[in-house]
Amino acid sequence: MSTRPAAGRCLVDLSAQDRLRSRAPERAPMLRVLCCPPAGAAAGYWRFLVREDVHVLGAQYPGRESRFREPAAPTVEALAAEAAAAVAAAPWARAAITPGASADVPLVVLGHSMGASVAAELASRLEHREGIRVALLALSAKTAPGTAEVASTGAGTGAGSDEDLREGLDPLAPGADAAMVRWLRRLGGTPEAVLEHPELLALQLPALRADLRVSMAYDRFPAPVGAPLLLLRGTEDVTVDPGGLEAWRPVSTGPVQRREYPGGHHPLADHGDRLLEDLLACAASGRSG
């Protein structure tokens, strides 16, 4: 008997959920965005991207929402493998395999922070193992594997030099939760209502710690994809410098473009329209090229 999670649990159709709430009719999308969230976050992190003419799907990691009771994934590669299997089983995936199909919609694989590592692995698996063409790989706010750390960070890098982060990773250490809250507050992106609520924190911290360990252990590049590469960064993000982001170059044999958005480590939600414009333009230029 298979122990693999059902596709619906590890790949969430955020656009379909939005239509159910709004009762809006389904429209043919001009872009399909497959999103990998950062450490501790659920697929719904990407809900800000949902538009009537954009199909947004989020990878749902174990340990949160519909997968709350599932054990954490052991590696980034395991997260990417289950997401790739779910994508391959999706009805729309056949169009991505057939060049020139009338229903063909550009597929963007997008990952933020830890999700950038998952996205790189996922795009590689889709292209090399599933035969699914990716129009664009977009990586945000994450230093590439093997790149020297930015001092006093940890979230966007491989090893984690931040003292609060190191103390917070061990849930049995005295003051671990308080250290993790201090680190999250400096990083930004987590609502104060969560940081100040012990019960909510108790639900979120196990998944966050598991994700951070997995992210820090990731030390390889997957087989490169032929899709263009888009590198994204907040202008005030101290967790990853332009050089560390640029070091993702080996994951693609296509052209590289770069975009910066005002803000820190989590700037994308405040610039959703601009992000979609950039994704659509870069995906279109890659397909025409």
Side-chain angles (χ1 to χ4, degrees):
M1 185 176 185
S2 174
T3 58
R4 298 182 66 135
R9 293 209 306 276
C10 56
L11 187 65
V12 178
D13 192 328
L14 299 172
S15 293
Q17 289 184 351
D18 186 71
R19 286 196 302 273
L20 283 174
R21 284 193 297 268
S22 64
R23 298 186 179 181
E26 184 173 0
R27 292 179 56 184
M30 62 179 180
L31 191 69
R32 182 170 286 116
V33 189
L34 176 56
C35 306
C36 302
Y45 176 90
W46 298 102
R47 205 172 300 280
F48 68 89
L49 282 179
V50 173
R51 307 288 189 277
E52 288 185 357
D53 54 355
V54 178
H55 186 194
V56 182
L57 303 113
Q60 187 78 289
Y61 308 150
R64 65 220 74 196
E65 293 189 351
S66 59
R67 306 186 65 187
F68 180 76
R69 297 187 182 278
E70 296 182 33
T75 62
V76 164
E77 293 89 341
L79 288 170
E82 66 177 24
V87 170
W92 51 263
R94 297 305 95 191
I97 296 175
T98 308
S102 59
D104 191 12
V105 176
L107 174 62
V108 173
V109 179
L110 167 65
H112 179 71
S113 196
M114 168 201 169
S117 299
V118 181
E121 285 284 342
L122 174 55
S124 181
R125 283 179 172 269
L126 291 178
E127 179 174 311
H128 296 291
R129 301 194 183 195
E130 304 293 348
I132 296 175
R133 295 178 297 117
V134 174
L136 177 69
L137 173 60
L139 306 180
S140 170
K142 176 69 174 172
T143 296
T147 305
E149 289 187 89
V150 178
S152 300
T153 64
T157 64
S161 61
D162 187 281
E163 184 176 349
D164 283 330
L165 176 59
R166 289 198 306 270
E167 292 181 5
L169 279 175
D170 182 1
L172 301 180
D177 288 359
M180 188 62 76
V181 167
R182 289 193 299 270
W183 178 75
L184 287 170
R185 188 170 278 123
R186 286 201 307 277
L187 193 67
T190 304
E192 279 295 320
V194 174
L195 296 178
E196 296 176 356
H197 197 297
E199 288 80 9
L200 292 178
L201 270 177
L203 293 174
Q204 181 171 331
L205 287 182
L208 173 64
R209 288 181 170 117
D211 287 352
L212 288 171
R213 293 190 194 99
V214 164
S215 180
M216 292 175 181
Y218 185 69
D219 61 357
R220 51 157 273 175
F221 289 111
V225 297
L229 177 64
L230 176 61
L231 301 174
L232 308 170
R233 180 179 177 270
T235 55
E236 300 171 24
D237 188 357
V238 298
T239 74
V240 54
D241 62 17
L245 191 61
E246 188 75 22
W248 279 106
R249 187 66 185 84
V251 301
S252 168
T253 60
V256 181
Q257 297 194 55
R258 301 153 194 85
R259 300 288 189 274
E260 288 195 344
Y261 304 101
H265 188 64
H266 291 281
L268 301 183
D270 292 330
H271 305 282
D273 289 337
R274 180 182 161 191
L275 174 59
L276 281 173
E277 290 174 3
D278 288 337
L279 295 178
L280 184 60
C282 293
S285 74
R287 287 158 65 87
S288 63

